[in-house]
Each structure stands twice: as structure tokens, then as C-alpha cells.
Amino acid sequence: MGLEFQVDRTDVGGGRRGRLVLPHGVVETPVFMPVGTAASVKAVEQGVLEEIGADGVGAQIILANTYHLYLRPGHELIARMGGVHKFMSWERPMLTDSGGFQVFSLSSLRKVTPDGVEFRSHLDGSKHFFSPEHSMDVQIALGADVMMVFDECVEHPATYERTRDSMGLTHAWAQRSKDHFEANKERVPWFAERGGKTQSLFGIVQGGMYADLRKESAERLVEMELPGYAIGGLAVGEPREVTREMIARTLEWLPKDKPRYVMGVGYPDEIEEYARMGVDMMDCVLPTRAGRHGLVFMREEAGGPVVRMNIKRKEYAEDARPIDESCGCMVCRRYSRAYLRHLFVSGEALGLTLNSVHNLAFYLDTMARVRGDLAE
């Protein structure tokens, strides 16, 4: 087993302060996980990623994408390099998704059957097939500390019948994922190096926007006795209040002694809200994606509401202030809004990096503040 989880304190709102011990290190929860899709958090070098944030701790855990790494450079190559940690020179914990969501997003290029999903690569149109067993083989080869069962994410909106059928497929695939993982978990590239520890396989609760299906999905997955549980199929176009309701309801049915992970959310105020509800882990591409498009996050005053700032705006052309005067990140300590705007409108790659670094620091600092509040 490669996971230990301890909840140190739970407040009246449900928020939990805890510690997640994994083969590559300890993660203080609740935690935000930057997304390193292709073994790279876009535009941000690993050494910087290890230091960003007001406390200098950096990202405790990051996420990599199974679908993208399978296509390029290939999971077998990464396994020969010692796993994704060594391949990208990242010695802290890591999580991989199953590839299910990326295959779901290729709606015109895929065919779903009970056995798995046939799809065409978005890179060159080549044909591939992902089954639960193949997803496990790819993720074992990559060697992240936490890996996910293969699931199907239903589109939004979707009918009750369509959602129920998809959920049934997810449950069948989860059992197949677990069975294959248990039979092959010692093949992880660092098994001997880490003293016989293995990866941990999390389940994914589906059920769309239907509370009764969410309940059924959670109960079915809990019966499988997995070491952690994710809430998937959200942030796919539904209103935010629906997202919140589905998270709140699903948390009621998940074990209180295991980590709970909401996949693919969200804006800074959302991740804070969900953490205070009792979510332990979250990830999202938004900090770096927004940064690459000139959108940065700030607060007019410490502890105030989140403001979305478009750094491209002409009003910042001679603004000598940092993005956020209450932020202690390496970008706000050194660079002005005027300079960041200049970099962006000039097409300088440094601008994309600095915006992304600030946004990641903003997210990590938000979670550090929440952890501090929950520890009191």
C-alpha cells in the first residue's frame, strides 16, 4: 500500500485539515494540484514550481495526463526512463488521470463499447483503443503516486437514462480497473526503490446532475474499498450552483476517513468554497491557461473577493503597481502591471510564464490560507 491519510481536524462547515502520505512525499490537505498535462506545468519550470507561493513551499503535488503521455512520448518510453517522476525531474507526489475525460472530449473521434473506447488521436488521426486494463497498464508505467480508475464522463446536458447507462459502464470499468491494478501493481517503475510501496487507485463517482444517481454511484464505489474517491463529471457546462449541490450531496456518501477529490475545478473562490465543504484535493488547468491568455487573479485587499484582471487592457500601460499589492509571490515582488502588459502585447514568452506563476501562487496561497483557518 502506498497511501496513508489522516484527518487532524474537521470544522463545523465540514472542512478538513489533514495529511496525505504518499511514496514520494507528504501532502498537506486540502490541496490544489497544478496540472502538468504532458509532464509539464505549461510555461513553468519545475524548480520554480517547487518554490512559488508566499510560504515558499511551492506545489506539493501535481497532475499529469495519461491520454497525452500515452500518445507522446509513450508510456513505455517513460517507464524505461524510470517513470514520470524521473522523466520530468519531479520528486514530489504526482497524480495521473485515467484518460477517460480526454477521450470523452473527442466526441467526434471516439466509439464507446462495453469493452472500452476506440478513438482517433487528435495529433495524427491514428486509431487507438483504451480499455480499463490498458488504462491501468499505462498509468502503472507512468508511475504517479495516485492513479484513477477508467471511467466515462457523460456530456451535459444528458438525460436521466443516458446518465444512468453511462454510470453503469463506469462502475463495471472501475471493478475491472481495480482487478487489473491489484494483479499488476508491483510493476510500477519505482517499486523496489521505494521499499515495495505501490501506487494508490482512486474511484470516480459519476451520475451527472442527478442526486440519486450520484448516491448510487458513491455507494457502489465505496463497496469496492478503494483508498480514495474522486467526484467526476462536473465543470462540464452546468451552472455553478448545480456543481456545488452535486459536490455537497456526494460528500455525504463518501467515507470520512479517506481522501476526497473533486476533478477539474475551478476558479480561486470555488476551490476555497469546496475545500471548506470538505474536499481534500482539487485540480484545474485554469491558473496557467488563464495566464497564457492574459487573465490574472488578484484581490483589491487581503482577504477580499477575487478579481479577474485582464492584463492586456490599455489602462495598465503605465501602472507601476504589482498585480496584487497584498501578494508575496516572486512576480508581484518584482514586476509591474505595466511591464507585464508590455510583455503580453509584445508577444514575449516571459509574459506567459510570469502570469502563470502568479496565478499558480494565488491558488496555492488560497489553499495555504484555508489550511491555516482549518487548523485553528
Side-chain angles (χ1 to χ4, degrees):
M1 186 67 173
L3 178 151
E4 297 175 19
F5 182 62
Q6 176 180 324
V7 177
D8 297 322
R9 185 178 181 276
T10 302
D11 76 357
V12 292
R16 295 132 58 94
R17 181 74 168 87
R19 298 172 77 251
L20 184 62
V21 182
L22 297 166
H24 287 83
V26 177
V27 176
E28 302 289 338
T29 62
V31 66
F32 176 78
M33 303 181 288
V35 176
T37 301
S40 167
V41 176
K42 290 188 185 298
V44 183
E45 188 266 333
Q46 278 80 303
V48 174
L49 197 61
E50 291 170 345
E51 298 177 354
I52 56 178
D55 55 10
V57 171
Q60 302 179 71
I61 177 172
I62 63 174
L63 182 145
N65 185 271
T66 294
Y67 165 83
H68 287 282
L69 292 176
Y70 160 76
L71 290 178
R72 185 174 57 191
H75 61 291
E76 293 172 339
L77 181 153
I78 290 176
R80 292 193 297 271
M81 297 293 292
V84 69
H85 289 90
K86 289 186 176 179
F87 182 60
M88 66 178 291
S89 190
W90 176 262
E91 285 303 313
R92 298 183 180 188
M94 192 179 305
L95 181 150
T96 46
D97 60 12
S98 70
F101 182 81
Q102 281 66 38
V103 170
F104 151 78
S105 68
L106 301 171
S107 56
S108 62
L109 301 173
R110 63 176 167 87
K111 178 182 178 182
V112 180
T113 71
D115 291 329
V117 183
E118 182 182 277
F119 64 93
R120 292 190 177 276
S121 165
H122 73 287
L123 297 175
D124 59 11
S126 57
K127 187 180 292 186
H128 302 268
F129 184 79
F130 255 43
S131 65
E133 292 79 11
H134 185 52
S135 175
M136 296 302 98
D137 286 337
V138 174
Q139 291 187 78
I140 290 169
L142 296 177
D145 299 74
V146 176
M147 49 191 278
M148 308 302 298
V149 300
F150 191 58
D151 68 322
E152 186 189 25
C153 179
V154 73
E155 66 279 356
H156 177 76
T159 65
Y160 187 91
E161 292 73 20
R162 160 78 177 115
T163 305
R164 183 186 58 204
D165 292 346
S166 173
M167 183 186 73
L169 199 58
T170 285
H171 296 162
W173 287 356
Q175 187 63 60
R176 287 169 56 187
S177 295
K178 181 185 177 184
D179 292 345
H180 194 77
F181 169 74
E182 291 295 342
N184 294 276
K185 61 187 178 183
E186 294 181 3
R187 292 168 43 215
V188 67
W190 39 260
F191 179 73
E193 177 186 326
R194 297 280 161 174
K197 292 181 179 179
T198 63
Q199 298 164 280
S200 297
L201 180 66
F202 281 22
I204 304 176
V205 176
Q206 291 290 352
M209 308 306 152
Y210 302 98
D212 63 325
L213 295 182
R214 287 280 173 182
K215 182 176 187 291
E216 180 183 344
S217 185
E219 290 173 346
R220 287 286 303 277
L221 288 164
V222 169
E223 289 174 358
M224 296 183 194
E225 296 185 346
L226 296 161
Y229 296 94
I231 303 173
L234 297 176
V236 290
E238 77 278 6
R240 177 171 169 177
E241 57 269 22
V242 175
T243 307
R244 187 190 189 285
E245 178 189 358
M246 290 301 103
I247 292 173
R249 298 297 299 274
T250 306
L251 288 175
E252 298 175 15
W253 305 309
L254 292 179
K256 291 181 168 51
D257 60 344
K258 294 185 177 181
R260 307 183 298 200
Y261 164 32
V262 174
M263 308 179 77
V265 296
Y267 283 96
D269 51 329
E270 292 177 291
I271 66 167
E272 176 169 354
E273 179 181 17
Y274 304 149
R276 295 187 185 279
M277 290 166 55
V279 175
D280 304 302
M281 306 163 68
M282 286 168 279
D283 78 278
C284 191
V285 299
L286 191 56
T288 50
R289 178 176 290 172
R292 296 194 308 277
H293 288 85
L295 180 68
V296 291
F297 301 103
M298 54 89 69
R299 301 178 197 273
E300 297 287 359
E301 57 185 34
V306 176
V307 176
R308 304 174 191 180
M309 173 190 292
N310 184 344
I311 201 65
K312 302 187 293 287
R313 293 173 64 92
K314 188 174 181 180
E315 65 189 88
Y316 302 125
E318 298 184 44
D319 193 332
R321 294 173 295 170
I323 296 172
D324 185 334
E325 292 180 295
S326 65
C327 177
C329 81
M330 61 182 68
V331 178
C332 288
R333 290 199 307 266
R334 184 162 188 167
Y335 300 109
S336 67
R337 297 176 181 181
Y339 181 64
L340 294 171
R341 178 185 183 274
H342 157 70
L343 291 176
F344 195 91
V345 299
S346 300
E348 291 289 337
L350 178 60
L352 312 185
T353 294
L354 295 180
N355 292 346
S356 297
V357 168
H358 166 77
N359 282 349
L360 286 168
F362 193 90
Y363 272 64
L364 297 176
D365 287 348
T366 296
M367 284 294 97
R369 176 169 51 80
V370 172
R371 287 194 299 271
D373 291 346
L374 293 174
E376 295 176 357

